[in-house]
């Protein structure tokens, strides 16, 4: 699966992105591109792969390729939060990565933004699910619905 968004993220894994945009914790949009997918599409895709997938084959269960400026704009528009309208420079990205790594080394656990996470936000990760669509009947939902449903779930469950 690609970067999953949607409701029921009780551990604040990938959907922490939505929470952090809403809370204004992101200092700028990085230059990277990533594929964002509704977690429910991935669940259905996994069932389809088990039922129809060819032995030994791999399928990308993705959604839409978006740069961070666009995904942050969508999150802001859907949630009514303040837009993130400035780019994140490479030096700021390195600084955030160093702070995250230091926090992990000193306190243990995993930081939201460490050197690995920041490197990913600067990468150009475009993916296609054409093979899964053609061979499995995989269907891709609008990512805005996943954002909206995740946000509503976070509000109802006191995460926001």
């Amino acid at each position: 699966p690609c970067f999953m968004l949607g409701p029921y993220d009780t551990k604040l894994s990938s959907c922490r992105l939505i929470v952090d945009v809403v809370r204004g914790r992101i200092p700028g949009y990085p230059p990277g591109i990533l594929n964002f997918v509704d977690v429910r599409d991935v669940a259905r895709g996994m069932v389809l792969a088990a039922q129809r997938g060819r032995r030994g084959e791999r399928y990308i269960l993705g959604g839409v390729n978006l740069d961070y400026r666009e995904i942050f704009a969508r999150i802001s528009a859907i949630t009514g939060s303040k837009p993130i309208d400035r780019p994140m420079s490479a030096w700021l990205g390195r600084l955030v990565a160093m702070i995250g790594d230091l926090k992990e080394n000193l306190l243990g656990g995993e930081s939201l933004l460490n050197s690995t996470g920041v490197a990913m936000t600067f990468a150009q990760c475009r993916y296609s699910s054409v093979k899964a669509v053609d061979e499995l009947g995989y269907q891709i939902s609008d990512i805005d619905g996943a954002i909206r449903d995740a946000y509503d779930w976070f509000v109802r469950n006191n995460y926001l």
Side-chain angles (χ1 to χ4, degrees):
C2 293
F3 196 92
M4 297 180 287
L5 298 175
Y8 309 108
D9 189 353
T10 60
K11 302 234 187 245
L12 284 181
S13 55
S14 57
C15 283
R16 179 181 300 272
L17 182 75
I18 295 169
V19 172
D20 286 345
V21 169
V22 171
R23 290 185 176 161
R25 292 183 177 165
I26 299 179
Y29 57 86
I33 295 172
L34 194 57
N35 189 287
F36 297 90
V37 61
D38 188 318
V39 67
R40 297 162 293 194
D41 292 349
V42 172
R44 287 186 291 268
M46 292 176 84
V47 171
L48 290 169
Q51 293 172 340
R52 302 178 187 172
R54 291 183 291 136
R55 179 172 288 189
E57 292 297 313
R58 296 178 185 194
Y59 300 92
I60 294 174
L61 302 177
V64 60
N65 295 310
L66 297 172
D67 62 34
Y68 281 91
R69 184 178 192 173
E70 175 66 20
I71 193 71
F72 290 167
R74 288 178 183 222
I75 293 168
S76 295
I78 290 166
T79 65
S81 59
K82 182 181 177 197
I84 299 169
D85 55 4
R86 61 184 176 275
M88 180 186 291
S89 64
W91 72 266
L92 180 58
R94 286 191 295 274
L95 177 64
V96 168
M98 286 177 17
I99 292 169
D101 289 346
L102 184 63
K103 179 181 171 189
E104 286 180 356
N105 289 330
L106 293 176
L107 303 176
E110 186 175 336
S111 176
L112 174 64
L113 288 175
N114 54 26
S115 56
T116 303
V118 170
M120 285 186 64
T121 66
F122 278 72
Q124 306 292 308
C125 300
R126 292 179 179 90
Y127 297 98
S128 171
S129 298
V130 169
K131 181 178 173 182
V133 169
D134 291 347
E135 293 186 19
L136 305 176
Y138 177 67
Q139 295 181 354
I140 299 168
S141 302
D142 179 24
I143 197 64
D144 291 352
I147 295 167
R148 186 175 301 104
D149 292 347
Y151 174 72
D152 291 345
W153 188 86
F154 285 135
V155 169
R156 280 193 317 272
N157 290 278
N158 300 314
Y159 286 80
L160 286 170

